[in-house]
Amino acid sequence: MLIRFVVSNFMSFKEETEFNMLKSNGNGSRQFPNHVIKTESGVEVLKTAAIYGANAAGKSNLIKAIEYLKNTVLNTNNTHLVPQSKRFRIDESYKSKSSTFRLEYLFNNIHFDYALEIEKGKIIQEWLYIIDSVKKEKEQFLFERKLNEVSLGSYFEGNDIDLNYLNKYLNKELQPTQTVLNALNDRIEGTEIINSIYCAFLSLKIVTPQSLSVGYIESLINNKHSKEFVEKVLQNSNTGIERLEVQDIEADNFFSYEDANFKSELIELLESELEKANDRESIPFIIGNQLATIRKEGTKYLVSIIKTKHYASDNLFDFDEESDGTNRLFELIPAFEELIENDDSVYLIDEIERSLHPILAKELLKLFTQNSLTKSQLIFTTHESHLLDDDLFRRDEIWFTEKKPDGSTAFYPLSNFNPRGDKVIERGYLQGRYGGIPFLGDFSKLLTEEKLL
């Protein structure tokens, strides 16, 4: 679970800017106790956060910043990190300043605090601590990096690790764009904490309006994942879809003449995977806006694609023929299925209401917020004021994004305002009581200036 994220000099974030999932003690703090999870380290963490704000206020940049940190940790061959185009360019002086990222996170009951500082494309500082008890201020030092020097904590002394080799590698061969966390996970085995922390970054799932859940759709096509949940959601959402069916088409009939080279590349890649004698049976690919797979059956190559079967017709339809709302719903379903059924999953969804009716978006969110068993976490951005509902979220689960006079982004929760319990949050938000809304110019002047009025 994400506990706290702090970022500076990245996109619209200038000074250190914090977003956190910590329970507040203000008005509404006793509401929905099942939305709060207490860690073994003594921290009370929220399961959900809804982030509001005007266009260009920086909502999506929060998700991009977290995704950037994730990719930096997971990638071994990073190139120039945080180029000038990613820094806070509104202030010229920030082009030469360092950028910082700090993540406090819980995974597999391990509460860790990890930070990176990047300057001129290289990592100049990095550290990692395990938090055992917040109240007792008890923590374990794992490592610290300053420029090219890496210091390891006592944890590594009792794990059958060749410390001489490890220290030599980290201080002599570690690349300035590779994180110590990545190197440790790659170079040593049997270290449960390092492996868990590395996996924590893998558990962070990002969903954007352009996302396509490749692994999930491939598993549906290969019948390795049940279609029951996705079909029930599509049915209950009044899409008219009765069920999903997988259609197999010979590759020669599926691909057009113009796609001949693409087909050959896919077949070559598939044959290469089959020669490895691993469990890979098919290769996924995107055609149009839809995902399909190609596999070999005997001497034939078959393309498999998911089609929709409607109640009112015996014909099968491509998802390209479905509405934008149905496609968006299909993209979100894997996230909600995992959030409901798994623990330790964290999803960050940008513009959750995109192409969805507000009532449908609210019902989808209820699937997660009303589930008292899961310990997963959902953080999303939205403009949809209809979701500002005391029956859906705690007040410390609602955040606002504001663009400051200097163009930088600030975050603050609704609980800072302590609105009375009888106040309608949506109305107060639209009236500008909490900020996070656009302050627009006079659009009618455009008509006058263009002599259209």
Side-chain angles (χ1 to χ4, degrees):
M1 302 186 78
L2 190 150
I3 299 172
R4 188 196 318 268
F5 179 71
V6 184
V7 60
S8 72
N9 196 20
F10 184 82
M11 302 187 80
S12 61
F13 301 107
K14 185 179 181 181
E15 304 295 342
E16 284 196 344
T17 306
E18 177 176 321
F19 169 81
N20 69 67
M21 297 292 288
L22 298 170
K23 172 183 174 292
S24 74
N25 295 314
N27 188 13
S29 62
R30 296 182 181 179
Q31 191 179 15
F32 300 132
N34 64 308
H35 287 204
V36 181
I37 295 172
K38 189 167 184 177
T39 70
E40 291 183 3
S41 58
V43 178
E44 292 183 303
V45 186
L46 299 167
K47 288 169 55 176
T48 314
I51 304 172
Y52 284 81
N55 294 108
K59 301 184 302 299
S60 298
N61 286 345
L62 173 67
I63 293 179
K64 290 175 182 177
I66 295 172
E67 185 176 31
Y68 195 89
L69 175 61
K70 170 186 174 177
N71 292 337
T72 301
V73 169
L74 297 181
N75 294 339
T76 301
N77 300 313
N78 293 310
T79 53
H80 190 81
L81 295 173
V82 193
Q84 285 193 10
S85 61
K86 293 285 186 183
R87 299 172 205 165
F88 186 74
R89 292 187 296 149
I90 294 176
D91 187 330
E92 287 292 323
S93 68
Y94 275 73
K95 287 184 178 181
S96 58
K97 291 185 178 182
S98 64
S99 301
T100 62
F101 303 84
R102 181 178 176 182
L103 179 70
E104 199 174 335
Y105 203 88
L106 178 75
F107 187 77
N108 282 349
N109 287 324
I110 297 172
H111 178 172
F112 67 88
D113 193 355
Y114 175 76
L116 271 182
E117 184 174 3
I118 297 167
E119 185 176 82
K120 297 179 181 178
K122 300 176 181 179
I123 299 169
I124 62 169
Q125 189 166 344
E126 179 183 2
W127 47 255
L128 176 63
Y129 287 83
I130 301 298
I131 311 297
D132 294 317
S133 173
V134 173
K135 188 175 182 180
K136 296 179 180 179
E137 297 184 353
K138 185 179 178 183
E139 60 186 23
Q140 297 180 56
F141 164 68
L142 266 69
F143 67 76
E144 183 178 23
R145 169 195 203 159
K146 290 183 177 179
L147 297 177
N148 296 324
E149 295 183 7
V150 179
S151 303
L152 297 176
S154 59
Y155 166 78
F156 296 96
E157 294 174 2
N159 282 280
D160 296 325
I161 296 169
D162 186 342
L163 284 178
N164 288 330
Y165 161 76
L166 193 57
N167 278 308
K168 182 179 178 181
Y169 172 78
L170 291 175
N171 287 287
K172 299 292 184 182
E173 299 183 44
L174 181 67
Q175 296 300 307
T177 57
Q178 183 185 10
T179 64
V180 174
L181 180 54
N182 179 285
L184 289 173
N185 184 73
D186 184 52
R187 290 283 165 168
I188 58 178
E189 297 180 357
T191 53
E192 181 182 350
I193 287 181
I194 293 297
N195 181 255
S196 289
I197 293 172
Y198 187 83
C199 288
F201 283 92
L202 289 171
S203 77
L204 267 168
K205 309 287 178 60
I206 313 293
V207 180
T208 69
Q210 294 79 36
S211 290
L212 198 61
S213 184
V214 175
Y216 182 86
I217 298 172
E218 185 180 7
S219 65
L220 291 178
I221 290 174
N222 294 338
N223 205 28
K224 292 183 177 180
H225 191 99
S226 172
K227 300 183 186 72
E228 182 179 3
F229 183 84
V230 61
E231 288 178 338
K232 283 184 176 179
V233 173
L234 290 170
Q235 291 163 3
N236 287 321
S237 302
N238 197 29
T239 60
I241 296 172
E242 178 185 2
R243 65 178 183 271
L244 302 179
E245 291 191 10
V246 177
Q247 189 175 66
D248 293 330
I249 308 166
E250 285 195 33
D252 289 340
N253 296 328
F254 181 84
F255 293 101
S256 66
Y257 176 78
E258 289 79 8
D259 295 325
N261 290 336
F262 180 51
K263 179 187 71 172
S264 298
E265 290 172 4
L266 285 172
I267 290 173
E268 186 176 321
L269 180 59
L270 175 63
E271 290 290 354
S272 175
E273 289 295 320
L274 294 175
E275 286 176 7
K276 295 176 184 177
N278 54 26
D279 295 331
R280 199 68 191 260
E281 299 174 355
S282 61
I283 298 293
F285 64 94
I286 295 174
I287 189 83
N289 294 319
Q290 191 165 346
L291 187 129
T293 66
I294 185 168
R295 73 180 194 277
K296 190 175 184 180
E297 197 170 283
T299 59
K300 294 180 179 179
Y301 296 98
L302 297 177
V303 171
S304 299
I305 194 164
I306 292 181
K307 301 268 191 173
T308 60
K309 163 67 176 65
H310 286 246
Y311 287 104
S313 175
D314 291 328
N315 294 316
L316 297 179
F317 296 87
D318 288 328
F319 267 95
D320 284 347
E321 299 176 276
E322 299 291 346
S323 70
D324 289 345
T326 297
N327 275 278
R328 179 60 169 165
L329 181 61
F330 187 61
E331 292 159 7
L332 291 176
I333 288 172
F336 280 90
E337 184 172 1
E338 185 173 340
L339 285 166
I340 292 165
E341 296 185 357
N342 297 348
D343 283 340
D344 271 338
S345 290
V346 177
Y347 270 89
L348 290 87
I349 302 179
D350 195 18
E351 297 186 26
I352 198 169
E353 84 291 353
R354 180 84 168 256
S355 299
L356 294 182
H357 192 281
I359 294 176
L360 176 54
K362 180 180 276 191
E363 289 302 313
L364 202 58
L365 285 166
K366 283 181 181 178
L367 280 176
F368 174 69
T369 60
Q370 294 181 353
N371 187 327
S372 59
L373 300 177
T374 180
K375 293 182 180 180
S376 289
Q377 192 178 53
L378 171 62
I379 300 165
F380 65 90
T381 69
T382 183
H383 295 109
E384 182 46 69
S385 62
H386 186 65
L387 302 178
L388 283 168
D389 191 337
D390 268 335
D391 293 329
L392 194 61
F393 302 116
R394 295 164 51 95
R395 297 189 172 194
D396 48 9
E397 292 179 309
I398 297 170
W399 282 72
F400 299 108
T401 314
E402 194 79 40
K403 181 182 282 189
K404 295 159 69 174
D406 63 1
S408 65
T409 294
F411 289 105
Y412 51 90
L414 175 63
S415 54
N416 281 3
F417 294 88
N418 266 335
R420 290 203 323 263
D422 61 341
K423 291 291 184 182
V424 179
I425 298 174
E426 180 182 8
R427 185 184 306 151
Y429 170 65
L430 293 176
Q431 290 173 347
R433 292 177 189 168
Y434 316 125
I437 61 171
F439 292 94
L440 306 176
D442 188 351
F443 273 60
S444 64
K445 288 183 178 180
L446 298 176
L447 295 175
T448 305
E449 291 168 359
E450 295 296 327
K451 299 179 181 181
L452 296 173
L453 192 64

